[in-house]
Amino acid sequence: QVQLVESGGGLVQTGGSLRLSCAASRSIFSINAMGWYRQAPGKQRELVATFTSGDTTNYSDSVKGRFTISRDNAKNTVYLQMNSLKPEDTAVYYCHGQMLWGGTWFDYWGQGTQVTVSS
């Protein structure tokens, strides 16, 4: 089991920046594919950025060049630095990770943090 706790959301103007944090309750070395998703009102949850194998990262096209995912293994924390924010980035942002238990992969989600970008 793992608990993921997000923080850092808030209200920001267009062009501004925010940094989201996701603190895990155990070593993030044991958590696969840690990353960030978001869900805007009336829309499906979508991938924002994630670690794949090792330090390889994957970003959605809509955030490439503006958002950066990083991690601090000593703090068991993953970050999402969001720059040049746009109103369309407004959503609830969720931290996600996977763990293998008994041969089955389980998905874990944080409670979400609201990001609102005003125009």
Side-chain angles (χ1 to χ4, degrees), residues 40-57:
K43 294 187 177 182
Q44 289 188 331
R45 192 171 296 188
E46 63 175 2
L47 171 73
V48 177
T50 187
F51 287 100
T52 55
S53 59
D55 291 329
T56 304
T57 55

Side-chain angles (χ1 to χ4, degrees), residues 3 21 26 43 59 74 82 95:
Q3 284 75 48
S21 299
R26 61 187 297 151
K43 294 187 177 182
Y59 294 90
M82 306 185 293
C95 183

Side-chain angles (χ1 to χ4, degrees), residues 28-92:
I28 58 176
F29 283 116
S30 64
I31 306 171
N32 186 59
M34 283 203 73
W36 294 91
Y37 288 71
R38 68 186 181 188
Q39 188 166 17
K43 294 187 177 182
Q44 289 188 331
R45 192 171 296 188
E46 63 175 2
L47 171 73
V48 177
T50 187
F51 287 100
T52 55
S53 59
D55 291 329
T56 304
T57 55
N58 182 43
Y59 294 90
S60 72
D61 288 342
S62 62
V63 306
K64 279 181 182 176
R66 301 188 297 123
F67 291 11
T68 303
I69 189 171
S70 63
R71 60 191 175 196
D72 186 330
N73 295 325
K75 295 182 179 179
N76 295 329
T77 300
V78 174
Y79 303 97
L80 183 68
Q81 178 66 44
M82 306 185 293
N83 298 328
S84 302
L85 283 161
K86 305 174 182 180
E88 51 263 44
D89 294 318
T90 295
V92 178

